[in-house]
Amino acid sequence: MRLVIIGADAAGMSAASRIKRRRPDWEVRVFEKTGDVSYSACGMPYNIADPGRDMDDLVVRRAEVFRDKQGIDLRTGHEVLGIDRFARRVFGKTASGHAFEDSYDRLILATGALPVLPDLPGTGLPGVMTLKSLEDGRRIKVFLQEQGVSSAVIIGMGYIALEMCEALCARGIRVEMVKPRPAFLPWMPSEMAAVVREELETQGVRLHLGVEIRGIEARDGHLEVACADRHLPADLVLVAVGVRPNSDLAAKAGLQLGAAEAVAVDRTMRTSDPAIYAAGDCADAFHVVTGQRVWIPLALRANRGGWAAADHLAGASASLQGVAGTAVFKVMRLEVARTGLDRAQAERAGFDPVEVVIRSRSRAHGHPGNRPIWVQMVADRASGRLLGAQLVGEEGAAHRVNAAAVALHRHMTVAQFSQCDLAYAPPFGPVWDPLLTAANQLLKQASG
Amino acid sequence: MRLVIIGADAAGMSAASRIKRRRPDWEVRVFEKTGDVSYSACGMPYNIADPGRDMDDLVVRRAEVFRDKQGIDLRTGHEVLGIDRFARRVFGKTASGHAFEDSYDRLILATGALPVLPDLPGTGLPGVMTLKSLEDGRRIKVFLQEQGVSSAVIIGMGYIALEMCEALCARGIRVEMVKPRPAFLPWMPSEMAAVVREELETQGVRLHLGVEIRGIEARDGHLEVACADRHLPADLVLVAVGVRPNSDLAAKAGLQLGAAEAVAVDRTMRTSDPAIYAAGDCADAFHVVTGQRVWIPLALRANRGGWAAADHLAGASASLQGVAGTAVFKVMRLEVARTGLDRAQAERAGFDPVEVVIRSRSRAHGHPGNRPIWVQMVADRASGRLLGAQLVGEEGAAHRVNAAAVALHRHMTVAQFSQCDLAYAPPFGPVWDPLLTAANQLLKQASG
C-alpha cells in the first residue's frame, strides 16, 4: 500500500508518523514544497521577539529523523501541482525545476493555509512582509537584524497581528496597527475588547481603526502605509489580515469544498473521494456546538486530524467530535481566550442568545497579586444551553477556558455547568470561580 | 415563616442572604457560637504569612451588614446546645453564660467542621495550636508576633499543614513536619508526590515520615515533639491532622448521619427530618463519579449548599449534582491539583482502574519560562470512563484541573475527553495540552 501525503507540517507529518507506527510495511511518501518540515508555526512571533534565538529552534522533528528513524520517504522541495484522481497519480515540479510524478493508493492533503494578501498597491515592496511559513519568519528576522528597523505598521488586528505586535514591541520597535473596519476584536464584547485595546495603548502601540487603506508606498528609503486620511511611515510593514485554506489543488481535482472553501471532510477526514483524505488547515471540520461545517485553522486540530486520517486508513476506529473553536493568545500582559460561539455566531446559527459579561478576580479577595478577570458567557435562551465563553485577564484566563470547552463538547446547559465542582484556593481564584459567577449571572438573567 | 440557622460562616450566611433575597418577609435568625461571621477560612495561612495584614481582612461581610442591610437577625456569641425536633425549638447559652431558646419553622444546620486533635499528651500546652476558626488564626498570629518564634513543628502533612508550612517559612521560621504514616501525599502517585516533597526540602523544610509521635512536652522554655526515635524541638507546634464534621448536635437530635459521620442530606440539602436542612462542612454530599455519599469539606461546596438549601426552602428547584472532589493548593512554587478519584478510591468504589502519569511542559517546546508539569489520570478499564486526574507543576496545574472536573460531571470516557478542543498558544502549553497527552497515553495503555 502506498500512501502519499502532500504537505509536511503538523497534519501531514502527524499522519505520516502515525501510519508508520500502525502499518510499518506501508510505503509512506511525503511531498513538501518548501525545505521545512514539522515546525511550530505558532511559535514564530515569540522566536522573532528574541534576537538570540535561532528560527530553527522551532523545528519539532528534523527531516532526517523522519527519513532515517521512521522510514518515511520525505521529499522536500517537491511542489505537487496536480492530482489525477482517476489514475491515482500526482504530478509536480521540484525546487530546481524538474518535473516529477508519482502514484498513490491513498492520498492525504495537508497543504495548510495561505496568508490573505489584500488587493493593495505596494504589497510586493521590499520590507512588506507576511508571516505564514518558517521561511517568512526567517525573512522577517533577517530584515529586523539587518535593516535596523525602528518602526513598524501592522495591517490587521487578529491573533497573528497582535502576537507580532508584542514581538516587535519586545524588540524595541515602535508599532502602529491599522485596519479598515471600526471594531477592535469584533467577536468580543466591547467592554472586554476595550481592556485589550487599553493594554496595547498603555504599552505604546497606536491603533488606527476604521481607516481606509489605499496602498503601501516606498518613500525616502522607508515605507509608508497610505490611508484615506493619514499616512503611516514605517521601516517594516506586516500584512496580517488573515489566512485562507490552501485548497486550490483539491478544487482543481474536483473534490468537494466545504466551509470557507476548505476541503470538505467527514468525521474520519475523508474527502468526497474515498481514496483521498484531508487534514489540517486545508480541511474543514464540524463545530461541536452547531454541528455545522466550519473552518477554524488551529494547531491542535491539525495534529489531531493527521492522527485521525492515519487511524482511519489503518482500519482503526476514528470519528472526530469536531472543534469548539477554542483559542488563546497573549497580548502583552493579558491572556485572551475564547471557546464556542460569540453572540453574533450564535444568532447566525439560529440560537436566541443571551449573554453576560462579568468582572471577577484572579485570586481570592484580599490575596496579594489579585488582578481583574473578565468573563463573557453566552447561552441559548430557550434551551439554556451553553454556547460559548470568552475570558480576558492578566492571569488565569488561558487555562480556565478549557473547562467551558469541555462543557461545549458535552452540550451542557448553563445550569449544569454552574454546578461543576471547580477548584478553589486563595492564590488561584475566588471561591466561586469566575466561570461559575458568569454562569450564575447568566442563569439569573435568563430567568429574570 | 421563621428560619433558624445554626452557624454563620460560608454555608449559613449564603443560605441566610439567599433566603432574604427570595423571601424578604421571612424571619431569618442565625445563631453563631463565636464572634466571627462569614470569613475566608482558606485565606488564613496566607494572612498569617504576612505580618502586615490584619486577620480581619478575611471577613467577607461584616455582621452589621447582614443585620442592617439584609435584615438578618444575626446573633453572635450564641451557642446552640440542643434541638427539640418535636417542639421545633433550639436551646443553648450565650458567651456570657445566659441560657436562650427559640422556635423554628425550618432549621438549617451549618455548624462546619472541627479540627481533629490526636490523643497525645501535651496538646493543651501553650504554643500548641490548631487552625480552624478565625480566632485560631488570630491566636497563631499573635503568638508569632509576641513570642519571636524561630522554629515550628507541624504534625500532619495535608492541605492545611502544607499551606501553613509555606506561611511559616515565608516568615523566616524553620519548619519541620512529622506524621506517623510513611507515605507523603498518599493519594498521589509516588513520582508526583516526590516532586512536591523535593520542593519542600529544597526550600529547607525537614520532613519526618513514618515516625511514631508520643507526645508534646514543654522543656526549658520551648516545646518538643517527642517521637519514638527522635525529638523535634520547636517554639510553636501546629497540629494539623485533619478535620471532622461538626455533627454532634445533629446526632444528639437523632438525625441520620452519612459519610464520615457528617449529617446525611439529599440533593436538596434536606436531612432525615424534612423541617431541617444541613449545608457546608457539617453535611455530606454525593460524589459525581461514584454516586455514593462522601464527605469532602471545601469552601465552594459550602457556599453552593447554602444557596441550594435556601432555594429549596423558597420553593425554587434545587438539586445538586454533587462533588467531584476538586481541590487545589499551593506548596511553595508548586501548584497541586486533583479532581475525582485516585487509584485506591477507584478500586474501593468497585472500578478496575488503569492509571498513567505523564510529564509534559507548561509552555511550548523551546518557549522561554517552560517548566515541567506532571499529570496523573485514572480511568475504568472496562468502560473507559474517566475517573480522576491530578496535576503538579510550577504553572498551569491549578486551572487545568477544571477541564477534567467538568468531564467527570458528565461521565465522559477518556476517549471522549481526548477529543476535546482545548486551548493552545506557545506561552500557555504544548499543542497537545498535558491533559490530552495523559488521555492519549491512557487510551494507548488501556488498549495495549
Side-chain angles (χ1 to χ4, degrees), chain B residues 406-443:
Chain B
V406 174
L408 294 179
H409 273 266
R410 299 303 283 171
H411 292 196
M412 280 174 94
T413 64
V414 177
Q416 289 167 338
F417 184 74
S418 76
Q419 288 213 16
C420 284
D421 189 9
L422 303 190
Y424 162 63
F428 307 117
V431 176
W432 289 96
D433 189 274
L435 283 172
L436 296 176
T437 298
N440 289 335
Q441 288 297 322
L442 198 48
L443 284 176

Side-chain angles (χ1 to χ4, degrees), chain A residues 166-194:
Chain A
E166 179 173 339
L168 296 173
C169 288
R171 294 188 64 148
I173 294 165
R174 202 176 59 251
V175 180
E176 302 194 66
M177 304 183 82
V178 60
K179 67 179 273 193
R181 282 189 291 180
F184 179 68
L185 298 177
W187 45 271
M188 187 169 261
S190 56
E191 56 266 60
M192 286 169 67

Side-chain angles (χ1 to χ4, degrees), chain A residues 36-40 55-62 134, chain B residues 365:
Chain A
D36 295 308
V37 305
S38 189
Y39 61 90
S40 167
M55 209 71 198
D56 286 57
D57 284 359
L58 295 173
V59 173
V60 178
R61 201 175 292 169
R62 286 175 307 112
L134 198 59
Chain B
H365 179 72

Side-chain angles (χ1 to χ4, degrees), chain A residues 272-300:
Chain A
S272 53
D273 178 337
I276 306 180
Y277 293 69
D281 289 358
C282 69
D284 70 0
F286 294 95
H287 198 291
V288 295
V289 175
T290 64
Q292 293 165 358
R293 290 184 176 277
V294 283
W295 185 65
I296 303 177
L298 289 170
L300 173 60

Side-chain angles (χ1 to χ4, degrees), chain B residues 7-24:
Chain B
D9 201 353
M13 295 319 294
S14 294
S17 296
R18 187 120 165 156
I19 204 79
K20 266 292 179 187
R21 271 201 305 278
R22 288 190 173 272
R23 294 282 181 268

Side-chain angles (χ1 to χ4, degrees), chain B residues 125-421:
Chain B
L125 288 168
V128 180
M129 308 279 191
T130 58
L131 180 64
K132 182 68 192 67
S133 67
L134 198 59
E135 196 52 37
D136 294 337
R138 288 191 194 99
R139 206 176 294 129
I140 292 172
K141 209 155 180 181
V142 167
F143 191 85
L144 293 177
Q145 237 122 341
E146 292 182 353
Q147 305 293 318
V149 171
S150 69
S151 66
V153 169
I154 299 176
I155 300 178
M157 299 188 197
Y159 300 170
I160 308 292
L162 291 166
E163 289 176 344
M164 277 303 295
C165 171
E166 179 173 338
L168 295 173
C169 288
R171 294 189 63 149
I173 295 165
R174 200 174 64 251
V175 180
E176 302 193 65
M177 304 182 83
V178 60
K179 67 179 273 195
R181 282 189 291 180
F184 178 67
L185 299 176
W187 45 270
M188 187 169 260
S190 56
E191 57 265 60
M192 287 169 67
V195 173
V196 184
R197 186 174 173 167
E198 195 186 318
E199 170 68 4
L200 285 165
E201 289 173 341
T202 302
Q203 303 289 330
V205 178
R206 284 192 63 197
L207 302 181
H208 305 271
L209 291 131
V211 167
E212 186 197 327
I213 304 166
R214 298 213 165 139
I216 307 165
E217 295 159 14
R219 192 181 295 264
D220 308 330
H222 66 257
L223 295 165
E224 204 167 86
V225 178
C227 307
D229 61 349
R230 69 199 77 183
H231 285 253
L232 307 173
D235 300 323
L236 171 86
V237 173
L238 182 77
V239 181
V241 298
V243 290
R244 64 174 182 86
N246 186 9
S247 57
D248 303 350
L249 207 52
K252 273 201 306 185
L255 294 175
Q256 195 185 312
L257 299 188
E261 310 256 278
V263 186
V265 292
D266 65 14
R267 292 183 189 276
T268 67
M269 311 312 283
R270 253 187 319 193
T271 68
S272 54
D273 179 336
I276 305 181
Y277 292 68
D281 289 357
C282 69
D284 70 1
F286 293 95
H287 198 291
V288 295
V289 176
T290 64
Q292 293 165 358
R293 290 184 175 277
V294 285
W295 185 66
I296 303 176
L298 289 171
L300 173 61
R301 184 181 78 98
N303 284 270
R304 189 176 262 150
W307 280 13
D311 288 349
H312 192 262
L313 274 164
S317 80
S319 177
L320 292 185
Q321 285 171 28
V323 296
T326 314
V328 61
F329 57 104
K330 188 169 164 289
V331 181
M332 308 293 183
R333 291 168 304 181
L334 291 175
E335 305 178 4
V336 184
R338 68 178 299 187
T339 190
L341 308 181
D342 61 38
R343 191 192 182 108
Q345 288 173 325
E347 271 164 12
R348 282 199 298 276
F351 295 103
D352 175 15
V354 49
E355 179 187 29
V356 289
V357 176
I358 63 118
R359 182 186 156 138
S360 179
R361 302 181 305 270
S362 68
R363 306 186 183 188
H365 179 72
H367 196 89
N370 213 344
R371 304 300 302 149
I373 184 168
W374 288 261
V375 182
Q376 175 257 28
M377 197 169 269
V378 55
D380 180 48
R381 194 181 302 271
S383 63
R385 220 179 118 186
L386 180 67
L387 300 177
Q390 299 176 16
L391 297 101
V392 170
E394 283 181 37
E395 59 179 12
H399 297 132
R400 266 199 175 87
V401 78
N402 289 336
V406 174
L408 294 179
H409 273 266
R410 299 303 283 171
H411 292 196
M412 280 174 94
T413 64
V414 177
Q416 289 167 338
F417 184 74
S418 76
Q419 288 213 16
C420 284
D421 189 9

